[in-house]
Amino acid sequence: MPRCRQPIRDPRMLALITIGGVALATILTVVAHLEPDPGMDPWSLTISDYAVSNRGGPMDIAMFVLGAASLALPLGLRAARVRAGVLPMFLLVVWGVGLSASAIVPTDPIGVPMTMDGYIHRYVSVTAFVCLPIAALLLARRLASDSRWQANLQSVRMLALASVLGLAGLYYSAFPGERVLMGLVERVLVAVEVALLAVIAVRLYRAAGPVEPSA
């Protein structure tokens, strides 16, 4: 009988999957902004608005790739036997699943009354973007005494706090601000959270490798 393939258990390989997903998603996002449809304004329109205008295009793929690749991160932490705690691991999974789901279930085009799909997209994506900084802050707290993670914990905390501020700015822009510069605020938030994800993945790759010599 053919042997079943063993799941990937190398934490460094799993970290590289997340890092590769971040890189690919970044490239696809840039491509999506190079030749947008007429009337698409990145200052006021969200990434989801870009995605729904070109279903199956680079922005859709970028969102799905980033979400799917993110799921390798909690697997890598577990494979490396990092004592991250149940809640941070769960929140990382919610981030990855939520981002992938928001790519599969599109928002509604601008000017169209919001449908059930639109509501699902909105709340799934918001949940994902809330979960990542919380997971990062909890992770930084749990790993404060782990020497392998010391080099990047301050960066993780700062990026997580910047994400929280970005979420507050996005809320203000979406509701009291009546979508003023909503596209810009969202893109800044996305850039910060992607950087946060990349920092954690790179630290996992290094921490799971050979023991680093002490200074």
Side-chain angles (χ1 to χ4, degrees):
M1 294 179 63
R3 295 182 180 179
C4 296
R5 293 185 178 180
Q6 294 294 325
I8 298 176
R9 295 179 181 176
D10 181 354
R12 301 188 87 195
M13 180 60 69
L14 290 163
L16 283 175
I17 290 173
T18 299
I19 295 168
V22 167
L24 179 57
T26 301
I27 293 170
L28 289 170
T29 300
V30 172
V31 169
H33 283 83
L34 292 179
E35 295 183 1
D37 292 339
M40 301 299 288
D41 177 14
W43 301 103
S44 59
L45 299 182
T46 67
I47 289 173
S48 296
D49 293 329
Y50 269 63
V52 77
S53 72
N54 185 18
R55 290 295 293 157
M59 191 68 82
D60 256 346
I61 299 172
M63 293 168 62
F64 183 82
V65 166
L66 183 60
S70 296
L71 294 175
L73 187 56
L75 293 176
L77 292 169
R78 182 176 180 181
R81 303 186 182 220
V82 176
R83 296 182 178 180
V86 175
L87 183 55
M89 298 281 272
F90 173 74
L91 293 174
L92 286 174
V93 171
V94 173
W95 152 263
V97 172
L99 199 60
S100 298
S102 65
I104 296 172
V105 182
T107 189
D108 296 305
I110 298 174
V112 174
M114 186 163 286
T115 63
M116 181 60 67
D117 283 353
Y119 280 111
I120 292 173
H121 176 94
R122 171 188 287 181
Y123 292 112
V124 165
S125 57
V126 168
T127 299
F129 281 105
V130 168
C131 283
L132 182 58
I134 296 175
L137 289 171
L138 292 174
L139 188 63
R141 183 178 180 183
R142 290 295 298 265
L143 299 178
S145 60
D146 190 331
S147 60
R148 299 174 301 170
W149 288 78
Q150 292 296 322
N152 293 95
L153 284 185
Q154 189 62 22
S155 297
V156 169
R157 293 190 187 99
M158 294 300 293
L159 287 169
L161 291 174
S163 297
V164 173
L165 292 176
L167 286 166
L170 186 62
Y171 174 83
Y172 177 83
S173 178
F175 296 103
E178 298 181 349
R179 293 182 65 99
V180 173
L181 296 180
M182 186 174 177
L184 175 61
V185 174
E186 186 198 52
R187 282 163 177 78
V188 171
L189 171 63
V190 170
V192 172
E193 295 214 355
V194 168
L196 174 59
L197 185 70
V199 168
I200 297 173
V202 169
R203 175 41 50 182
L204 171 61
Y205 178 83
R206 293 176 176 172
V211 177
E212 298 178 357
S214 57

